[in-house]
Amino acid sequence: MALILLCWVAAAGALPRGIVAERYVEGLANPTAMTIAPSGDILVTEKGGEVRLVRDGNLVAGPVVRFSPTVKGQAGLLGIDVFDDFAESGRFIVAYTPASDPTRIWLSRARMTPEGGEVLEDPWKVLPNNPDSDRNYAGRVEVADGHIYVGLGDLGRHNEAQSTRRLPGSILRYNLDGTVPADNPFGTAVYAYGFRNPQGFETVGDGTLWVVDSGETEHDEISRVVAGGNYGWPVVIGHCDNYPLTEVCDETSLLDPHYEFRWQTRVTGVAGYREGLMPALRGSVFVTGRRYGELHRLVSTADGRRLELAVPFFVLPGSEPQAGLVDVKVGTDGALYVLVGDTPAGQILRIAPREDVLDQNAILEEGTELRPADTPVCTVSQVDAAVPWSQGALLVICLVLLVWALRRREVPRAVTICACLLAVLTLWSAKVHAQEARWGVKAGANVATVSGDDVVTASLAPGVTAGVASRFEFNEYLAVAPELIYAWKGTGIDSVDDRHLSHHLTLPVFMEGRLNFGWIEPRLTAGPAATLVLSARTGDQIMTDRLNRWGFAVAGGLGADFGFGSGMMTVDARFERGLTEVYDDRATPHYIRTPENYNNVAYLLVGYLF
């Protein structure tokens, strides 16, 4: 199954026949956005504050201009575009979070000169920001139809995205002199609203302004922007059919996106292909994704009202796990230029027909349909089946434990140890391969009892629980979630009118299967757990030395997540079944029969993941 999946991914990421992706330029440091001048020159923003020039496939030494941004989280030098008169004036505009005023976003103007470049107005216009957040800045800019458009994220102020008087969560529109146009729909700079984190937009030849909006956990969107449009956030994420109560859209003027990615691709840039080297792509809309390094191609439906996704047009190869695609533009030569960012080794890729294909005029005739690439032949020799030494060592330990357990007839304990070791292996793998990591806290109550021999007098007793939690998400359906939980547990002993109290540390490693219904994400969790008894007593008698200090258990249950602020609230109901005996035979005189007791605990926990 894994081999089939690898072959499927390889086939899905292949470029159409005759089209290749080549490295156009490298040497960029954490690039964030780019714009292409009428001359074909490319201006690129680097997160640390430098604007770089790419000319004829070469990165010009030294920056055009340099700004001083706050570089934290998503903050930095964010967006860039050239003015319509760039060929004569060399003027361009940038958006960034300044180091001197980190609670704001500045729009600044500069120009390129034969000697290099110079800053003209810094700041030229000051926009609001959130001093308590380093997320959802957006900060992309677009100069089109005699106006300046600015995408502003909600800055952590989710509810303000539904306001036409406040700027966060909006597409802003200004005149070239910075004034508010008289025909803006609300008398403010707000042109359209209800966005979470509009990471990129572009105006295509027919005047359509496309915008891509990054969702909270998934539901990334691409929409055609209309004056006065309300695109739903935070009332709706993605299409209205994500919600059981669809009247939230039926009874309002909320606009559905033209396409919704129902997995988290972290959209970053968008470009409409009008004409050029590949006429068969005319009318396509291309979207870059940061999370999986994918360039998506979307085409209009028959009625022209929606977009639909073709197979992934291009998937970033290589071994740089943090690299993603952060922008896409159509060059003056008709090729696609893709910016690879999120890495100190940033680069620009050029996607165009091979020269031999261009000479033969293959695939370029009007109306010719692009065919998929030749089906890749995927064999075992092409799959890296080498097992790292750490994984091999864990597997060897598990095999030794199983042999030992079979000889001593202690299979449950050995199987549990193996499960814990493999859980550590899974956690290691999750750290390497997971696409999203969250950290948080959990707390709640528990009720505990014991089962097994001679426990007819044991009854439930309440306790408290608190700890830290994490989650490594592979995709929107599957995650691994280790926790470190402290539990104060109690068991009633009716026959002596007393209570057994113990303090435990538990390390469960859960596999989580999730569903998504928009406002709620239910989960099914299960996995092994290692436990450590810190102390225990029955009445006034200290019992710690008589117990097995280390133990193993299995746990599972149901949970749900609810979006809250920039993170999520969690609720979990789970049951933990001990597999290690409570009492240590070696600490009990041989003439006293030690009962075979096992801990059982039910938990109800609430938490928050950042």
Side-chain angles (χ1 to χ4, degrees):
M1 289 180 66
L3 183 60
I4 292 172
L5 179 61
L6 288 172
C7 293
W8 179 84
V9 171
L15 284 167
R17 183 193 304 274
I19 296 178
V20 294
E22 299 177 322
R23 182 180 293 111
Y24 185 66
V25 69
E26 55 187 347
L28 297 165
N30 291 300
T32 55
M34 65 180 175
T35 186
I36 300 181
S39 63
D41 288 347
I42 303 177
L43 292 176
V44 184
T45 53
E46 294 180 332
K47 190 171 185 176
E50 295 187 346
V51 176
R52 306 298 302 275
L53 172 63
V54 175
R55 176 169 288 168
D56 298 327
N58 297 301
L59 180 63
V60 176
V64 176
V65 291
R66 181 183 287 110
F67 296 90
S68 298
T70 294
V71 180
K72 176 186 177 185
Q74 295 179 8
L77 187 54
L78 302 172
I80 186 169
D81 201 11
V82 299
F83 285 94
D84 295 335
D85 63 351
F86 180 81
E88 296 78 29
S89 69
R91 294 187 308 146
F92 58 91
I93 185 171
V94 300
Y96 75 103
T97 54
S100 60
D101 191 2
T103 64
R104 303 282 183 178
I105 289 180
W106 285 4
L107 299 180
S108 298
R109 297 197 294 185
R111 71 171 179 171
M112 196 169 69
T113 65
E115 295 76 26
E118 62 178 342
V119 177
L120 299 175
E121 297 103 354
D122 185 34
W124 174 64
K125 184 167 285 294
V126 176
L127 302 179
N129 195 0
N130 186 355
D132 298 323
S133 174
D134 59 1
R135 304 179 65 182
N136 301 358
Y137 289 101
R140 295 296 180 97
V141 292
E142 171 85 359
V143 180
D145 62 36
H147 295 90
I148 299 171
Y149 295 89
V150 182
L152 189 61
D154 69 12
L155 309 173
R157 309 174 185 176
H158 300 338
N159 292 332
E160 292 190 17
Q162 282 297 305
S163 171
T164 60
R165 308 299 301 179
R166 298 181 180 271
L167 303 187
S170 302
I171 302 296
L172 311 179
R173 181 173 179 253
Y174 296 98
N175 292 318
L176 296 181
D177 62 2
T179 59
V180 174
D183 60 348
N184 272 14
F186 307 110
T188 66
V190 175
Y191 185 71
Y193 63 108
F195 296 97
R196 178 181 178 272
N197 199 10
Q199 285 285 309
F201 42 55
E202 184 187 56
T203 303
V204 297
D206 61 359
T208 298
L209 178 64
W210 289 109
V211 63
V212 288
D213 189 18
S214 182
E216 190 167 26
T217 53
E218 48 268 322
H219 308 296
D220 294 352
E221 304 178 2
I222 175 171
S223 302
R224 181 184 290 121
V225 178
V226 297
N230 182 354
Y231 292 83
W233 174 257
V235 178
V236 171
I237 309 173
H239 283 297
C240 282
D241 62 10
N242 292 330
Y243 296 83
L245 302 176
T246 56
E247 60 266 21
V248 70
C249 292
D250 297 339
E251 298 177 359
T252 67
S253 58
L254 301 184
L255 299 177
D256 263 348
H258 284 72
Y259 184 79
E260 173 194 353
F261 293 89
R262 299 204 176 191
W263 67 96
Q264 189 179 52
T265 189
R266 289 186 175 175
V267 290
T268 50
V270 58
Y273 197 89
R274 300 181 291 278
E275 57 186 16
L277 296 176
M278 301 169 281
L281 298 181
R282 182 174 298 166
S284 300
V285 177
F286 289 91
V287 175
T288 47
R290 169 176 278 124
R291 183 166 188 176
Y292 298 111
E294 291 179 332
L295 176 64
H296 298 280
R297 177 185 172 219
L298 299 103
V299 296
S300 294
T301 56
D303 60 9
R305 300 179 62 183
R306 290 286 182 268
L307 294 173
E308 58 187 7
L309 187 68
V311 295
F313 189 74
F314 172 76
V315 179
L316 180 68
S319 58
E320 178 64 52
Q322 283 75 42
L325 305 185
V326 296
D327 207 355
V328 58
K329 300 294 181 187
V330 179
T332 55
D333 59 355
L336 283 171
Y337 290 84
V338 180
L339 183 61
V340 181
D342 294 336
T343 171
Q347 56 185 294
I348 298 176
L349 305 178
R350 183 177 184 268
I351 297 178
R354 294 198 315 262
E355 291 186 4
D356 61 327
V357 174
L358 185 61
D359 294 340
Q360 299 170 14
N361 202 31
I363 78 165
L364 297 180
E365 294 184 4
E366 190 72 29
T368 300
E369 181 181 358
L370 288 178
R371 295 172 294 172
D374 293 333
T375 302
V377 178
C378 192
T379 64
V380 174
S381 62
Q382 291 176 281
V383 180
D384 184 7
V387 178
W389 70 267
S390 57
Q391 301 180 50
L394 285 173
L395 292 174
V396 170
I397 292 172
C398 283
L399 290 175
V400 171
L401 283 170
L402 283 174
V403 171
W404 167 81
L406 289 171
R407 295 189 63 180
R408 297 197 56 178
R409 298 181 181 179
E410 296 191 14
V411 175
R413 178 177 297 184
V415 171
T416 307
I417 295 173
C418 287
C420 290
L421 290 172
L422 291 175
V424 173
L425 173 61
T426 302
L427 180 57
W428 175 86
S429 177
K431 179 181 178 181
V432 175
H433 299 291
Q435 305 298 330
E436 179 80 10
R438 291 182 179 272
W439 305 87
V441 294
K442 289 188 176 182
N446 68 73
V447 289
T449 187
V450 294
S451 61
D453 294 346
D454 304 327
V455 294
V456 293
T457 60
S459 60
L460 297 174
V464 295
T465 303
V468 295
S470 61
R471 180 182 295 167
F472 299 89
E473 299 175 357
F474 295 103
N475 52 50
E476 64 176 310
Y477 303 111
L478 184 64
V480 59
E483 299 176 357
L484 182 61
I485 298 294
Y486 161 78
W488 177 58
K489 304 175 183 178
T491 301
I493 304 177
D494 300 337
S495 60
V496 295
D497 194 24
D498 218 328
R499 190 181 185 193
H500 178 81
L501 300 175
S502 59
H503 301 267
H504 291 248
L505 277 181
T506 303
L507 175 65
V509 180
F510 294 112
M511 291 300 296
E512 295 187 343
R514 298 183 296 154
L515 296 176
N516 190 297
F517 296 105
W519 63 278
I520 183 173
E521 295 184 9
R523 290 178 283 108
L524 180 65
T525 63
T531 62
L532 170 64
V533 179
L534 301 175
S535 65
R537 64 184 175 85
T538 299
D540 296 329
Q541 182 180 2
I542 303 300
M543 301 289 292
T544 308
D545 293 339
R546 293 185 56 190
L547 306 182
N548 279 310
R549 301 292 297 276
W550 287 97
F552 301 96
V554 292
L558 299 175
D561 298 334
F562 306 87
F564 188 85
S566 60
M568 59 179 61
M569 296 291 298
T570 65
V571 177
D572 288 273
R574 69 176 67 140
F575 179 77
E576 179 185 294
R577 162 67 175 175
L579 298 178
T580 302
E581 294 180 19
V582 173
Y583 294 100
D584 185 355
D585 293 340
R586 296 167 299 179
T588 304
H590 65 86
Y591 54 83
I592 299 177
R593 178 179 176 272
T594 302
E596 294 184 4
N597 294 166
Y598 301 90
N599 280 316
N600 300 298
V601 190
Y603 298 91
L604 180 62
L605 304 172
V606 295
Y608 187 82
L609 293 176
F610 297 93

